[in-house]
Amino acid sequence: MELKNDLLVRAARGERTERTPVWLMRQAGRILPEYRAVRNSLSGFVELVQNPELAAEVTIQPVDILGVDAAIIFSDILVIPEAMGLPYEMVEKKGPWFPKTISSHDDLAKLKVADVPSDLGYVLEAIKVTKKELAGRVPLIGFAGAPWTIFCYMIEGQGSKTFSKARKMLYNEPVLSDQLLQMITDSTIAYLKAQIEAGANVVQLFDSWAGILSSAQYQQFSMKYIAQICDAIDEVPLTVFAKGAYFARPEMRHLNCRTIGLDWNMGISESRRLIGEGKTLQGNLDPCALYGSTAEIENATKKMLDAFGPEKHIANLGHGVYPDIDPEKVKIFVQTVKEYSSQMRSV
Ligand code: 1CP
């Protein structure tokens, strides 16, 4: 099926576009009352993720309601630990929780590399249903967590501000850490390839906990595996979003990927200089800017667009949209990108 709106794919490939494409990290779910309605019809989050028809429905909601230029498949990065042998639960108002975690070689020996068709077939099915229902309106983004971020949850067993158990493991058990990170990497490569095979037009790696490592540890325990994934995926453009990894931008220039996501702390012209002209940049409005007035959101969005310039940019926030943001404010952001970036090209 040919895409009617392929702005995102073309911008990711570095091609010129009529205007800047826009979508929001975490646009599916959480901010939309329409999502809550679907979610409340089931007993929980995991049931929704594993229900391809309903997952497709909530994936498409932001395209209909917010007018974004891409859909992102409704799932979670935590489906990979589950497929490897560590199931997760989603505790209401608290977040993910793993009954079993990894703390020894014995624990590691019980894990396996994900068998994607059998363990994650429900995600592939959700992608196929979504593609059919989107009928080429916008591209579909597939995603996975970066190995380091997945490692954090597999060791810690839940969210944390410091992930100090996971970081302790890097010091005390570097060999075990490497083995686990490699198993996650192998699972992730197979998973992303299967998502692409099922219809994903672009894929993104979320390294949400990149910023808690030192620069040297980031090279050894995160970038190394991200580079393997980038080298293995050449079917569609890949985006690496490493939140807080401002120190790794010079090395990101050398990753075999098309797009680098920036968080809102990363200066735009400085990032362009460090990462080079060869990549498309994605981001990076402060998610909190959407708590502002209409005029404030318009001004902040225009300022961001001016700083990135008209080419090789995919407009987004610097991290996921916060759950209590008014969807009307998101629409102002989306509309401003569409209008202002069209004007930028006509002058
Ligand atoms: O019931 C619910 O609605 C639970 C809230 C929720 C949702 C809607 C969670 C729990 N995950 C998701 C879906 C999800 N997660 C998507 C797809 C839909 C969307 O666009 O929102 C995506 C892309 C993710 C990715 C994800 N999950 C990341 C990486 C992105 C980021 O925000 O940094 C991370 C770190 C997770 C783990 C996770 N899942 C859910 C929560 C509350 C968390 C964070 C836990 C923590 O605090 O460490």
Side-chain angles (χ1 to χ4, degrees):
M1 166 81 62
E2 204 168 317
L3 290 170
K4 294 179 191 97
N5 171 349
D6 63 353
L7 290 168
L8 180 100
V9 179
R10 280 157 57 212
R13 291 205 192 108
E15 295 169 21
R16 269 171 166 272
T17 49
E18 308 78 81
R19 62 170 177 79
T20 304
V22 55
W23 69 283
L24 290 86
M25 291 187 278
R26 311 300 301 274
Q27 67 186 18
R30 54 188 203 175
I31 59 163
L32 295 175
E34 291 83 353
Y35 164 77
R36 296 299 330 166
V38 175
R39 170 82 167 71
N40 290 339
S41 71
L42 296 170
S43 54
F45 176 79
V46 181
E47 287 72 13
L48 177 52
V49 165
Q50 296 182 354
N51 182 318
E53 277 71 31
L54 292 179
E57 182 178 338
V58 299
T59 298
I60 297 170
Q61 283 174 348
V63 179
D64 292 332
I65 300 165
L66 306 173
V68 286
D69 292 309
I72 178 163
I73 191 66
F74 187 83
S75 185
D76 199 89
I77 63 170
L78 304 176
V79 300
I80 280 287
E82 176 169 76
M84 292 174 67
L86 292 190
Y88 67 100
E89 292 166 18
M90 206 54 90
V91 185
E92 202 64 39
K93 299 212 157 55
K94 277 200 70 188
W97 187 71
F98 290 82
K100 287 187 289 177
T101 56
I102 305 297
S103 56
S104 67
H105 285 274
D106 284 351
D107 295 335
L108 186 77
K110 296 192 191 104
L111 294 181
K112 58 167 184 144
V113 171
D115 176 38
V116 175
S118 67
D119 300 325
L120 293 160
Y122 60 90
V123 181
L124 308 179
E125 189 54 31
I127 290 176
K128 288 178 193 160
V129 176
T130 304
K131 287 287 289 186
K132 196 158 161 249
E133 291 178 3
L134 275 176
R137 284 168 63 197
V138 291
L140 178 63
I141 303 169
F143 72 93
W148 159 246
T149 288
I150 297 299
F151 177 95
C152 282
Y153 289 101
M154 292 177 82
I155 305 297
E156 204 89 22
Q158 59 190 344
S160 160
K161 281 200 170 66
T162 58
F163 283 97
S164 49
K165 258 198 209 167
R167 291 196 293 123
K168 176 181 169 191
M169 183 72 86
L170 303 181
Y171 288 95
N172 290 356
E173 297 278 4
V175 174
L176 187 153
S177 297
D178 171 64
Q179 287 167 343
L180 176 53
L181 285 160
Q182 191 60 54
M183 284 177 81
I184 300 169
T185 301
D186 295 343
S187 302
T188 303
I189 290 171
Y191 182 43
L192 290 175
K193 283 193 179 284
Q195 291 187 48
I196 295 164
E197 178 83 28
N201 301 100
V202 171
V203 290
Q204 175 158 328
L205 277 178
F206 285 92
D207 206 357
S208 305
W209 301 110
I212 61 176
L213 291 179
S214 68
S215 177
Q217 280 193 322
Y218 193 68
Q219 289 305 321
Q220 187 183 349
F221 296 110
S222 186
M223 275 293 246
K224 188 171 116 192
Y225 305 97
I226 289 177
Q228 283 185 37
I229 297 170
C230 291
D231 288 342
I233 303 293
D234 55 7
E235 299 87 341
V236 302
L238 183 142
T239 301
V240 174
F241 172 63
K243 186 174 177 293
Y246 60 90
F247 45 78
R249 286 176 293 173
E251 284 79 38
M252 286 178 186
R253 175 194 277 266
H254 305 296
L255 283 175
N256 206 350
C257 69
R258 304 272 8 175
T259 303
I260 300 293
L262 305 182
D263 70 34
W264 71 95
N265 287 314
M266 296 176 182
I268 296 168
S269 54
E270 181 192 48
S271 299
R272 178 51 85 195
R273 185 167 50 73
L274 293 171
I275 297 167
E277 295 294 328
K279 301 230 187 289
T280 293
L281 300 178
Q282 176 172 278
N284 77 340
L285 191 72
D286 179 357
C288 280
L290 300 186
Y291 291 114
S293 67
T294 300
E296 284 163 343
I297 296 169
E298 287 172 353
N299 288 336
T301 305
K302 289 176 189 172
K303 211 172 141 199
M304 171 191 79
L305 291 167
D306 282 333
F308 278 105
E311 280 178 48
K312 294 183 182 164
H313 178 219
I314 297 167
N316 206 311
L317 303 180
H319 196 198
V321 60
Y322 295 137
D324 63 340
I325 292 286
D326 177 355
E328 291 307 315
K329 298 290 179 71
V330 176
K331 288 187 202 169
I332 294 163
F333 169 67
V334 170
Q335 214 40 47
T336 306
V337 173
K338 289 184 173 180
E339 287 165 14
Y340 190 73
S341 71
S342 303
Q343 287 168 25
M344 280 166 80
R345 278 140 173 101
S346 58
V347 289

